[in-house]
């Protein structure tokens, strides 16, 4: 399936100018959002996980999930060779079956973007780059913007930024907001994913507020985590973020996406999240334009399960290509 | 039917046969020298100031709206006094008063209720001699026996006063449910309790049925012993001078057979205590109570001398269980 | 055509090990009852499941005598620690046969398999586990140093949670040393009779538990039998009052768990998404066939539109259909009679001027079905605000202040349960204190646990089941 970049902010959010005029106003708005009861939210997330998805539904879900993967490598030890190899896999996940769709994107550090661009020339796979002093986000704004600029000029079509969690937890919401706005501007035509780092925000109330803040600031996607700490993506975090994009769409008419990164390892996990997308946000979000899995090992398990469905027998690692 | 053998208890006193009608007034025939509940024996030429025994409703002492009264006699048939003969309208008014007093009484802290009840015991203690005389007159027997009953009644009142801020800890508590929830059960008073007091034991029996209902936060409409109502009326006088708010306890005297059905059918009475009703007459009352699913407390035997236990504390309590999730 | 269509995911019917016919269980044996032979049907398809040879008054007499013999000779003399071990056996066996019981329950009752599998059966086992542990600790339970059992308990249970209601009745009765004659509901006898099979397998002494399927006349025979010392009834308030009247003549102990019309109060600072879950769970769980259902929604006016809109969206994701499909959220109405009652009351809502709304919800053409339904513009004077519908129908009212919410919530002869949704702790406790209801769920709903006492105020009955309090109805102290 083809991928189009998500909608940009435009002038449609002028109605929010009051809310973002100063930190006190922004805080009032964010703290005025309905609270999230943790036990209730966990129970709902768990209940959605009991949906039984078999046969044709499972087949659809596996292919959908594959097409929503951002195949990721974010290690200090990454090299051009590693990235090139991963890009080939991104385009042809299963060498034995051309019917398997390519993934949505690859996700790399800014200095490897150029390698990815060259490897993916002519394919539909997008090139996402982390930026803004990923993963900690602890650097001056100017440094972060240089980081973004280099990724963009190397050819990244998607930018995955991190928010300043320190500022957020200290209540300096407007600082976090302004930073996102600046990064969005520096991203040019690349679409922007805003990483909340749910494991550091800890509570569902904080995740709800951070989600709204990021959407108001113009993020095209909100993303759970850097994948460098746990917990990262969990069903309750996903639930709250999907509710946020649903409610944001209801209020503004604008569709924004959700990316789950870190901790989504098995097909079972992925299918559970697709059920959640379906029943919480709605079926409009069941597209790579609006929903992604940031993962590396997940693709292997999706292919294993796909093989089981097509061949009827349980599969083994020998039949799955490595990066 | 065969019942499980119970602990040995003192034999229960036989119930007196119910009198369906109050006998017509009889001329007073007692000589002035006989001691009466109305006051000390006349000595010399002093004329005694006789006491009027009225109803106790809403903190006041009205006569019956029907204007009726009936003679209360001692064991030999001599008239001790006339008591008000309550009507269904008096009962209606008493229930209204009890309902009106319920919010404040049930909403008071348990400590406060305990304090109020304890002070009532102080009032009763101060009136020991009066009660001894009234009991002797009503029930006969020796002064010693009467004194024992008064002592036991005061002590029992004190015992129940002490329960006010404790029974919740015995019957309530947190429940260990299998999930991240704080779950606790607490007792609440049922509401307005209709009580028919024991027919024989005019003070101790009366105390035994009203004190537990009060200590658990209920308000009470009580029909005193038909033939031996006077100690209960005197107790009401003590209540009126205590800190017990008006309407928390309301006393009716008169015909049990006439009044009890109105209590059982009253839709604003939450529970009834049939201790003072003889077994054969209980059935119709319990059936009538079923129309509003009233809680019916009808113990098989009643022995005022026995250890009261906690059954009467639990009888007029509703258990409320509250759940709340525990999370961040 | 939805983008993500969930394929059918049915639990296998064979797991239920349905037999063509079932008898009654008296004095440790399965025998044919002397009453009518009745077919029990699957309300989702109207097809007959099995034939039951129901009990007669004569069978009740035999059962009560068997219960009495077992009580006198065996059960009341048995040390609590020994009684406990029987109850532990039964709890274990329910767990082992859990899947079989769940499928059987969904076939006979119509409720979704995910509820019978995840709620009914595990809770039933848990009740036996919980009360097993009390059997040898009664002198510490707060009923004096030496509380005694009462004797033979006659128990009549409803059709909405057939196995769970049987567990709620049998477990505390046995733990305290009483013996039991129990009548399951007419439309749902199968899991109770299978429980009898489990009980026989556990070698419980004959006569300690007797299970007699049958109709109202069998229930009446149990209530009236002079050999029964205590009645425990769960069912409608109308029948409960009749039973209370009957036992007035006999002096039997009685406990009643009757109907309800619970208010679910949503304050303007409620966690809205979880409150919506609570509302949906409160009235649509088990198709609304729950005595403690949150059937009146009281919403603070300032958030009324938001809550209703969120409710509409949420109802659109509910899946109604085959109870054996693991993805079904809403199953079948238990009987034609119950369906007629729901339809009649819903029609009164229309007639009295309330506004009806249901999501688009195709109904299967066989079986008894009613779509999840919301009535807005309801006031306390409407029948749908006062009478128990016992179906998936929610009546929505509004309020302005906490006092108004409490007043409306309490303005009913019922008093079984209530819900409170707000993020403000002091408001939760203030409201809970004032609600005249035996169970108050704050920021949650429909939570059950064997350690948690359950029962009503006012015309919702008296006596509690669950917890230490649940022992009281079965003890003399």
């Amino acid at each position: 399936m083809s991928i189009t970049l998500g909608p940009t902010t435009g002038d449609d959010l002028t109605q929010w100018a009051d809310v973002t005029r100063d930190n006190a106003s922004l805080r009032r708005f964010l703290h005025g959002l309905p609270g999230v009861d943790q036990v209730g939210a966990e129970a709902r997330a768990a209940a959605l996980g009991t949906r039984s998805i078999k046969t044709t539904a499972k087949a659809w879900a596996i292919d959908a999930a594959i097409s929503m993967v951002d195949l990721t490598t974010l290690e200090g030890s990454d090299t051009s060779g590693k990235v090139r190899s991963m890009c080939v896999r991104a385009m042809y996940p299963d060498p034995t079956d051309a019917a398997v769709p390519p993934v949505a994107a690859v996700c790399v550090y800014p200095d490897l973007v150029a390698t990815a661009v060259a490897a993916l020339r002519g394919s539909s796979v997008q090139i996402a780059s982390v930026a803004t002093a990923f993963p900690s986000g602890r650097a001056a704004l100017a440094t972060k913007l240089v980081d973004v600029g280099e990724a963009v000029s190397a050819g990244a079509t998607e930018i995955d930024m991190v928010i300043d969690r320190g500022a957020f937890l200290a209540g300096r919401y407007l600082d976090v907001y302004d930073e996102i706005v600046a990064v969005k501007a520096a991203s040019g035509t690349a679409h922007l994913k805003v990483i909340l780092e749910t494991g550091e925000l800890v509570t569902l109330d904080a995740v709800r507020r951070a989600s709204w803040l990021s959407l108001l600031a113009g993020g095209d996607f909100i993303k759970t985590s850097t994948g460098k700490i746990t917990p990262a993506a969990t069903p309750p975090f996903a639930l709250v973020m999907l509710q946020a994009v649903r409610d944001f769409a209801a209020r503004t008419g604008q569709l924004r996406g959700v990316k789950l990164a870190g901790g989504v390892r098995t097909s079972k996990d992925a299918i559970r999240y697709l059920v959640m997308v379906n029943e919480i946000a709605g079926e409009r979000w069941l597209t790579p334009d609006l929903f992604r899995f940031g993962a590396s090992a997940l693709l292997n398990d999706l292919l294993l399960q796909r093989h089981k469905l097509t061949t009827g027998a349980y599969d083994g690692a020998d039949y799955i290509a490595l990066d | 039917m065969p019942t499980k053998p119970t602990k040995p208890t003192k034999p229960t006193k036989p119930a007196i046969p119910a009198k369906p009608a109050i006998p017509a007034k009889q001329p007073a025939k007692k000589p002035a020298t006989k001691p009466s509940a109305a006051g000390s024996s006349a000595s010399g030429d002093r004329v005694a100031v006789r006491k009027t025994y009225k109803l106790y409703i809403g903190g006041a002492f009205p006569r019956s709206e029907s204007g009726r009264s009936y003679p209360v006699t001692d064991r030999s048939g001599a008239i001790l006094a006339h008591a008000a003969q309550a009507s269904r309208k008096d009962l209606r008014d008493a229930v209204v008063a009890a309902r009106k007093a319920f919010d404040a009484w049930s909403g008071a802290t348990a400590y406060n209720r305990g304090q109020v009840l304890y002070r009532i015991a102080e009032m009763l203690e101060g009136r020991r001699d009066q009660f001894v005389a009234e009991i002797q007159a009503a029930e006969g027997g020796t002064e010693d026996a009467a004194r024992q009953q008064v002592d036991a009644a005061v002590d029992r009142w004190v015992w129940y006063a002490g329960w006010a801020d404790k029974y919740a800890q015995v019957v309530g508590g947190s429940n260990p449910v299998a999930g991240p929830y704080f779950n606790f059960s607490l007792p609440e008073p049922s509401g307005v309790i209709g009580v028919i007091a024991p027919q024989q034991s005019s003070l101790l029996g009366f105390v035994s049925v009203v004190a537990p209902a009060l200590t658990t936060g209920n308000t009470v409409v009580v029909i005193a012993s038909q033939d031996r109502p006077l100690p209960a009326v005197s107790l009401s006088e003590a209540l009126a001078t205590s800190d017990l708010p008006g309407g928390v306890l309301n006393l009716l005297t008169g015909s049990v057979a006439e009044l009890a059905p109105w209590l059982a059918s009253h839709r604003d009475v939450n529970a009834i205590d049939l201790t003072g009703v003889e077994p054969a007459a209980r059935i119709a009352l319990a059936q009538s109570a079923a129309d509003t699913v009233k809680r019916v407390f009808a113990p098989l035997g009643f022995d005022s001398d026995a250890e009261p236990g906690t059954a009467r504390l639990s009888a007029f309590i509703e258990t409320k269980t509250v759940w709340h999730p525990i999370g961040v | 055509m939805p983008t993500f269509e969930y394929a059918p995911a049915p639990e296998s019917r064979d797991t239920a090990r349905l037999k063509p016919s079932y008898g009654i269980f008296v004095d440790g044996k399965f025998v044919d009852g002397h009453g009518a032979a009745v077919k029990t049907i699957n309300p989702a398809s109207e097809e007959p499941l099995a034939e039951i040879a129901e009990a007669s008054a004569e069978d009740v007499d035999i059962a009560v005598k068997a219960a009495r013999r077992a009580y006198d000779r065996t059960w009341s003399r048995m040390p609590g620690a020994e009684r406990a071990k029987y109850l532990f056996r039964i709890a274990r066996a329910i767990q082992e046969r859990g899947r079989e019981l769940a499928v059987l329950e969904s076939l006979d009752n119509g409720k979704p398999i995910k509820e019978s599998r995840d709620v009914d059966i595990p809770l039933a086992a848990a009740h036996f586990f919980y009360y097993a542990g009390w059997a040898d600790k009664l002198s510490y339970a707060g009923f004096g140093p030496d509380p005694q059992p009462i004797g033979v308990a006659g128990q009549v249970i409803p059709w909405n949670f057939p196995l769970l209601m049987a567990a709620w009745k049998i477990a505390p009765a046995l733990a305290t040393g009483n013996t039991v004659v129990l009548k399951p509901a007419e439309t749902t006898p199968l899991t109770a009779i299978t429980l009898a099979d489990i009980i026989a397998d556990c070698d419980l002494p004959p006569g300690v538990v007797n299970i007699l399927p049958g109709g109202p006349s069998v229930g009446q025979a149990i209530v009236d039998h002079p050999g029964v010392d205590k009645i425990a009834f769960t069912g409608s308030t109308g029948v409960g009052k009749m039973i209370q009247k009957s036992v007035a003549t006999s002096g039997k102990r009685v406990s009643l768990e009757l109907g309800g019309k619970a208010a679910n109060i949503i304050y303007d600072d409620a966690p809205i998404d979880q409150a919506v879950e609570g509302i949906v769970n409160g009235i649509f769980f088990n198709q609304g066939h729950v005595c403690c259902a949150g059937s009146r929604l009281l919403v603070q006016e300032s958030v009324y539109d938001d809550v209703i809109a969120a409710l509409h969206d949420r109802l659109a994701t509910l899946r109604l259909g085959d109870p054996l499909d693991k993805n079904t959220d809403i199953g079948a109405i238990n009987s034609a009679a119950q369906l007629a009652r729901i339809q009649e009351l819903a029609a009164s809502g229309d007639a009295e001027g309330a506004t009806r709304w249901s999501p688009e919800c195709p109904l299967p053409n066989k079986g008894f079905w009613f779509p999840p339904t919301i009535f807005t513009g309801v006031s306390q004077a409407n029948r749908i605000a006062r009478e128990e519908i016992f179906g998936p129908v929610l009546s929505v009212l509004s309020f302005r202040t906490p006092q108004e919410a409490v007043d409306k919530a309490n303005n009913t002869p019922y008093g079984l349960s209530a819900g409170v949704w707000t993020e403000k702790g002091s408001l939760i406790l203030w409201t809970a204190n004032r609600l005249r209801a035996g169970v108050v769920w704050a920021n949650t709903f429909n939570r059950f646990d064997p350690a948690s006492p359950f029962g009503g105020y006012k015309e919702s009955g008296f006596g509690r089941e669950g917890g230490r309090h649940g022992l009281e109805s079965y003890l003399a102290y």
Side-chain angles (χ1 to χ4, degrees):
Chain A
M1 38 194 99
S2 69
I3 301 191
T4 53
L5 294 175
T8 54
T9 49
D11 292 336
D12 300 86
L13 296 181
T14 47
Q15 58 178 300
W16 301 98
D18 264 357
V19 165
T20 52
R21 120 184 120 225
D22 56 31
N23 197 53
S25 304
L26 185 52
R27 184 172 75 224
R28 264 197 300 277
F29 172 78
L30 294 177
H31 286 218
L33 293 168
V36 184
D37 183 273
Q38 181 197 20
V39 172
E42 288 180 356
R44 173 98 174 105
L48 286 166
T50 64
R51 289 288 192 224
S52 179
I53 307 297
K54 303 280 188 229
T55 63
T56 52
K58 186 169 181 178
W60 181 90
I62 288 176
D63 277 1
I66 291 172
S67 74
M68 293 166 178
V69 167
D70 284 2
L71 200 54
T72 303
T73 184
L74 294 169
E75 305 305 319
S77 54
D78 285 342
T79 60
S80 306
K82 160 79 179 174
V83 170
R84 261 196 297 275
S85 175
M86 188 181 80
C87 288
V88 172
R89 199 156 167 246
M91 293 185 285
Y92 313 109
D94 187 346
T96 67
D97 188 347
V100 177
V103 302
V106 298
C107 189
V108 294
Y109 271 106
D111 61 340
L112 288 160
V113 168
T115 309
V117 168
L120 292 170
R121 190 151 284 132
S123 94
S124 61
V125 178
Q126 301 297 308
I127 299 107
S129 172
V130 296
T132 66
F134 180 97
S136 73
R138 297 251 63 84
L141 179 56
T143 310
K144 295 184 192 179
L145 293 177
V146 166
D147 201 19
V148 173
E150 293 194 341
V152 168
S153 30
T157 57
E158 306 184 351
I159 298 292
D160 287 20
M161 72 168 284
V162 289
I163 62 167
D164 181 347
R165 281 88 72 197
F168 184 88
L169 292 169
R172 292 186 282 114
Y173 298 124
L174 199 58
D175 289 348
V176 179
Y177 175 90
D178 287 341
E179 220 171 74
I180 298 170
V181 170
V183 170
K184 177 69 185 166
S187 300
T189 55
H191 95 185
L192 178 64
K193 301 197 199 79
V194 181
I195 300 174
L196 310 181
E197 196 66 317
T198 50
E200 286 178 354
L201 298 183
V202 181
T203 68
L204 298 174
D205 284 331
V207 170
R208 168 164 287 179
R209 290 171 189 158
S211 299
W212 270 89
L213 190 159
S214 305
L215 295 169
L216 285 173
D220 299 297
F221 263 65
I222 44 177
K223 176 174 167 182
T224 53
S225 330
T226 62
K228 298 304 178 188
I229 64 166
T230 53
T234 65
F237 287 144
L239 180 86
V240 171
M241 290 167 70
L242 286 165
Q243 285 170 341
V245 297
R246 171 198 70 189
D247 294 341
F248 188 82
R251 290 275 277 268
T252 66
Q254 300 196 355
L255 300 175
R256 307 291 178 84
V258 172
K259 175 169 171 179
L260 308 181
V264 187
R265 283 191 193 83
T266 65
S267 305
K268 201 165 197 174
D269 294 336
I271 292 171
R272 283 187 179 155
Y273 284 121
L274 288 177
V275 168
M276 197 181 284
V277 173
N278 190 38
E279 296 198 33
I280 298 294
E283 62 176 13
R284 273 191 305 182
W285 272 263
L286 287 170
T287 155
D289 290 359
L290 291 172
F291 187 74
R292 301 277 181 88
F293 291 109
S296 41
L298 173 63
L299 184 58
N300 299 350
D301 196 66
L302 286 169
L303 293 171
L304 277 174
Q305 297 308 317
R306 196 175 193 282
H307 287 171
K308 160 110 189 359
L309 278 183
T310 50
T311 67
Y314 287 104
D315 209 0
D318 288 350
Y319 298 92
I320 308 293
L322 282 181
D323 283 350
Chain B
M1 70 194 64
T3 50
K4 184 77 190 138
T6 53
K7 304 189 285 292
T9 57
K10 294 210 186 123
T12 60
K13 297 188 181 122
I16 49 166
K19 284 198 197 153
I22 301 284
K25 283 195 189 192
Q26 294 172 6
K29 61 176 170 98
K30 44 193 239 353
T33 51
K34 202 155 184 167
S36 80
S40 52
S41 49
S43 56
D45 302 335
R46 186 179 180 275
V47 177
V49 180
R50 287 195 177 153
K51 184 158 155 172
T52 345
Y53 289 85
K54 299 198 275 179
L55 309 174
Y56 179 56
I57 297 178
F61 289 92
R63 296 183 193 277
S64 169
E65 62 79 41
S66 65
R68 302 174 304 173
S69 63
Y70 70 105
V72 176
T73 61
D74 67 14
R75 300 253 290 207
S76 71
I79 292 191
L80 298 171
H82 289 90
Q85 186 179 344
S87 69
R88 65 177 171 80
K89 289 190 182 175
D90 297 315
L91 188 147
R92 172 201 65 192
D93 292 344
V95 173
V96 168
R99 176 60 64 196
K100 195 160 158 210
F102 177 74
D103 280 351
W105 182 242
S106 60
T109 61
Y111 176 69
N112 185 254
R113 277 202 298 279
Q115 293 281 289
V116 169
L117 292 173
Y118 189 73
R119 188 163 143 75
I120 292 168
E122 293 174 4
M123 306 276 107
L124 300 180
E125 180 88 9
R127 291 184 180 226
R128 274 168 94 221
D129 291 343
Q130 178 189 14
F131 282 123
V132 168
E134 285 188 338
I135 287 170
Q136 259 197 297
E139 299 183 16
T142 63
E143 189 180 311
D144 239 12
R147 197 162 288 288
Q148 275 181 27
Q149 191 187 134
V150 175
D151 288 350
V154 177
D155 288 351
R156 185 154 298 171
W157 195 280
V158 170
W159 191 71
Y160 276 115
W163 268 118
D165 55 358
K166 297 173 189 65
Y167 69 89
Q169 296 170 308
V170 172
V171 306
S174 80
N175 302 303
V177 295
Y181 297 94
F182 183 55
N183 176 302
F184 57 98
S185 292
L186 29 84
E188 293 196 339
S190 299
V192 173
I193 317 298
V195 179
I196 295 95
Q199 297 303 318
Q200 298 274 57
S201 175
S202 57
L203 184 66
L204 178 58
F206 184 84
V207 164
S208 299
V209 298
V210 304
L214 294 176
T215 211
T216 48
N218 297 286
T219 55
V220 168
V221 173
V222 54
I223 304 171
S225 159
Q226 182 168 315
D227 292 340
R228 304 171 179 189
L230 305 183
V233 180
S234 294
L235 190 149
S236 304
E237 291 167 6
L239 296 183
T241 55
S242 75
D243 301 312
L244 192 75
V248 174
L249 184 139
N250 304 275
L251 177 71
L252 302 171
T253 54
S255 159
V256 170
E258 177 190 336
L259 295 170
W262 290 100
L263 213 48
S265 66
H266 200 302
R267 290 161 74 86
D268 205 21
V269 169
N270 300 101
I272 52 173
D273 180 342
L274 301 181
T275 300
V277 179
E278 52 139 29
R282 289 180 178 188
I283 293 166
L285 297 173
Q287 286 177 326
S288 175
D291 281 334
T292 49
V293 194
K294 280 185 183 61
R295 288 84 170 103
V296 176
F297 183 72
L300 283 173
F302 175 74
D303 177 6
S304 52
D305 294 328
E307 280 300 313
T310 54
R312 284 180 180 273
L313 285 171
S314 304
F316 306 116
I317 279 174
E318 309 293 322
T319 297
K320 172 186 290 176
T321 300
V322 182
W323 293 72
H324 197 285
I326 300 173
V328 302
Chain C
M1 166 84 180
T3 307
F4 188 1
E5 179 133 41
Y6 304 164
E11 187 68 61
S12 164
R13 201 189 135 107
D14 294 338
T15 317
R17 298 205 286 182
L18 257 179
K19 300 201 278 236
S21 71
Y22 294 81
I24 66 177
F25 183 66
V26 178
D27 207 13
K29 294 184 291 294
F30 287 95
V31 295
D32 279 345
H34 294 87
V38 163
K39 284 193 168 31
T40 186
I41 63 165
N42 178 349
S45 62
E46 299 178 61
E47 44 124 0
L49 294 169
E51 200 173 86
I52 316 287
E54 290 189 340
S56 66
E58 179 195 336
D59 294 313
V60 169
D61 189 54
I62 296 172
V64 172
K65 292 191 163 95
R68 169 66 52 198
R69 265 193 316 273
Y71 177 82
D72 287 339
R73 295 184 194 168
T74 315
W75 199 243
S76 68
R77 295 163 189 259
M78 189 182 287
E82 302 301 291
R83 289 202 301 273
K85 285 185 278 191
Y86 280 111
L87 292 169
F88 279 123
R89 277 186 195 175
I90 295 171
R92 273 277 172 253
I94 292 175
Q95 288 180 321
E96 275 165 2
R97 292 173 70 170
R99 191 54 60 98
E100 173 194 342
L101 287 164
V103 175
L104 192 58
E105 193 79 294
S106 284
L107 282 172
D108 204 14
N109 169 282
K111 63 172 72 193
I113 184 70
K114 101 179 157 181
E115 282 173 14
S116 35
R117 176 196 69 203
D118 294 343
V119 179
D120 290 53
I121 276 56
L123 272 178
H127 267 264
F128 276 99
F129 271 115
Y130 179 79
Y131 280 107
W134 269 121
D136 56 355
K137 302 174 183 66
L138 296 175
S139 54
Y140 300 101
F143 302 108
D146 191 24
Q148 298 295 316
I150 299 174
V152 174
Q155 306 177 322
V156 177
I157 59 175
W159 46 261
N160 58 348
F161 294 91
L163 183 70
L164 183 58
M165 292 294 101
W168 277 28
K169 295 284 182 282
I170 295 174
L174 262 49
T176 46
N178 300 278
T179 55
V180 160
V181 176
L182 179 142
K183 185 194 90 64
E186 217 173 353
T187 57
T188 55
L190 298 182
T191 46
I193 274 294
T194 307
L195 179 63
D197 192 50
I198 285 174
I199 283 170
D201 274 351
C202 293
D203 285 331
L204 194 69
V208 172
V209 171
N210 305 273
I211 296 186
L212 277 60
S217 63
V218 176
Q220 193 66 55
I222 292 174
V223 168
D224 292 341
H225 197 292
V228 169
D229 303 299
K230 186 241 151 46
I231 302 292
F233 172 77
T234 296
S236 72
T237 292
V239 175
K241 288 179 178 178
M242 284 178 357
I243 290 178
Q244 190 179 357
K245 276 191 163 52
S246 297
V247 304
T249 48
S250 57
K252 292 181 171 99
R253 296 268 300 267
V254 64
S255 54
L256 302 172
E257 203 269 275
L258 309 177
K261 192 70 184 179
N264 209 345
I265 299 174
I266 313 291
Y267 285 110
D268 61 13
D269 61 350
I272 298 284
D273 293 303
Q274 284 71 51
V276 166
E277 283 311 300
I279 297 167
V280 167
N281 183 291
I283 186 57
F284 302 121
F285 165 66
N286 208 33
Q287 295 73 252
H289 301 326
V290 191
C291 40
C292 51
S295 48
R296 284 183 295 153
L297 173 59
L298 266 51
V299 192
Q300 194 153 17
E301 257 186 72
S302 45
V303 288
Y304 185 89
D305 291 338
D306 289 342
V307 171
I308 301 302
L311 256 183
H312 284 185
D313 287 345
R314 179 65 178 94
L315 258 58
T317 68
L318 290 175
R319 305 169 66 89
L320 180 151
D322 178 12
L324 285 192
D325 191 314
K326 291 179 244 186
N327 290 325
T328 293
D329 299 315
I330 304 211
I333 304 300
N334 185 248
S335 65
Q338 188 57 32
L339 179 59
R341 177 167 167 75
I342 296 168
Q343 287 165 336
E344 193 255 321
L345 274 160
S348 84
D350 296 325
E352 290 177 9
T355 307
R356 186 202 289 231
W357 181 92
S358 286
E360 218 176 273
C361 192
L363 303 180
N365 44 28
K366 291 228 80 187
F368 313 123
W369 304 93
F370 198 88
T373 299
I374 299 181
F375 276 97
T376 49
V378 179
S379 95
Q380 282 292 110
N382 293 131
R383 283 185 68 200
I384 55 174
R386 295 205 77 73
E387 294 180 41
E388 190 181 33
I389 300 176
F390 224 65
V393 178
L394 178 65
S395 301
V396 184
L397 302 86
S398 65
F399 66 90
R400 293 156 304 169
T401 65
Q403 188 59 55
E404 201 182 326
V406 162
D407 288 343
K408 284 186 173 172
N410 287 336
N411 177 230
T412 163
Y414 291 116
L416 186 50
S417 64
V420 184
W421 297 84
T422 164
E423 292 268 271
K424 190 166 184 185
S426 45
L427 184 56
I428 292 166
L429 295 174
W430 183 95
T431 308
N433 265 357
R434 283 159 179 72
L435 288 170
R436 297 285 288 173
V439 183
V440 178
W441 285 300
N443 288 329
T444 189
F445 210 91
N446 272 349
R447 297 264 75 81
F448 305 100
D449 192 283
S452 181
F454 183 91
Y457 283 37
K458 308 191 283 184
E459 292 197 10
S460 292
F462 45 80
R464 293 291 176 270
E465 296 181 285
R468 180 197 68 86
H469 298 74
L471 297 166
E472 180 162 17
S473 314
Y474 291 98
L475 289 172
Y477 65 102

